[in-house]
Structure formats: C-alpha cells, structure tokens
Amino acid sequence: MECSDHKTTTTISSMNSSSSTFASTISTTPTSGLSPKSSILLSTPPMNIVLSPCAACKILRRRCVEKCVLAPYFPPTDPLKFTIAHRVFGASNIIKLLQELPEEQRVDAVNSMVYEANARIRDPVYGCAGAICQLQKQISELQAEFAKAQAEILNLKCQNSNLLALVCMEVSENSSSSSLLSSDHINDYENNNDNTSMFLEDNNLYGAWEPLWT
C-alpha cells in the first residue's frame, strides 16, 4: 500500500510539473509575430456556421452542399419558384441544363423555365405556344388596324387636294368672269357715248336748218 501511495504521489507531482511547464511555455510564447486574425482565433473558440439549404434541396430533401448549382437561383425564401419548375421539367433536367450553360446565362434560363412551367400549368395543351399564338394574333390585328388608319389618312389627303384644286379653279373662273364683265361695261359705256354725240350732232343740224322752213 505504501508503494502504491508513493507511486500515485509521484505521478501527481509529475503531472503538476508538466502542466506548469506547459503554462509557462504558453505564457512565454511571443505574440508579436502573430497576425490579428490568428490572435483572435487563439483567444475565441471556433463557431459553428449553419447555412440554410436552398429551396431546391429542401424540397428534394437532400443535403445542400457548398457549391450547389441550384442555390443561387432558388433561394429558400421562394420555394414556389422551384416547385413550379420541378413539376414540369424535373430536378435532373434543371440541373443538367444549368450545368451546360455559362453562369451569365443561367439566370435567364431559370426565369424562362419558370415562365414556361407557369404557362404549361395554366394551359396543359399548348403552354407557351398558346400564349405566343395569342400575342401574334393581337399583333396581326393591330397591324391591320394600322394599315386601315394609314389608308384613311391617304384618302383624306387626296380629298383635301381635290378640294383645293376645285377652290383654285373657282377662284380663277370668278376672276376671269369679273374681268370680262368689266370689259363689257367699258364697251357699253363707249357705245353710249358715241350714240349721245351723234344725237347731239343731229340736233345741231336740225337747229341749223330750222330757220329755213320758217
């Protein structure tokens, strides 16, 4: 028993000496060469960062990895977006399509898939083709109305030009008729003057011959 107690005492003393040596080593370690980040890491315990999985991984019930292809385009705050696209295209087709495209085109591709999936859910027969046909029909109707309006404008311009031509013709005719009337008046006035002078001359002759008859 005494031997065992002696061994225990020796072990405890050796452990205390080793712990004191470790503490002195840590205390005497120079910190001047350490960066601020390393000093913070030494002073604070590590923190566990918990990331919320994306909507796609949450719906598919799988682990969302760090470089998830679907995470940038299907955030956890909008699960309906992936639900609609997954219902029509499927998760494997969406992942395959995104992997084949460059990153700058993936946003447009996801938006197109969601739009097409919405159209397919609204119209299971035609989908986007039905919406495109309807828009093309509206465009053709608007083009026909535009052509009709242009034809009416051209017709009104022709009528306006014809009216201007008629007005010019009437003005020219009125000016010519007024000039003819003025010339006729002048001729009548001259004829009347000639008749008056002849009548006066006749009276003078009659007055000259009048004493001969008395």
Side-chain angles (χ1 to χ4, degrees), residues 108-177:
D108 295 333
V110 170
N111 293 331
S112 299
M113 282 190 288
V114 173
Y115 178 80
E116 189 173 353
N118 278 319
R120 182 65 63 180
I121 291 171
R122 288 195 304 267
D123 189 358
V125 178
Y126 296 104
C128 283
I132 292 170
C133 291
Q134 187 176 2
L135 292 174
Q136 287 179 348
K137 183 179 179 181
Q138 292 179 1
I139 290 171
S140 61
E141 289 176 356
L142 292 173
Q143 286 177 349
E145 291 179 0
F146 181 69
K148 185 178 179 181
Q150 283 183 336
E152 290 179 356
I153 291 170
L154 184 61
N155 189 14
L156 291 173
K157 285 183 178 180
C158 292
Q159 290 180 1
N160 191 14
S161 61
N162 292 330
L163 288 174
L164 288 174
L166 290 174
V167 169
C168 292
M169 289 175 64
E170 289 180 357
V171 169
S172 62
E173 288 178 356
N174 290 329
S175 61
S176 62
S177 61

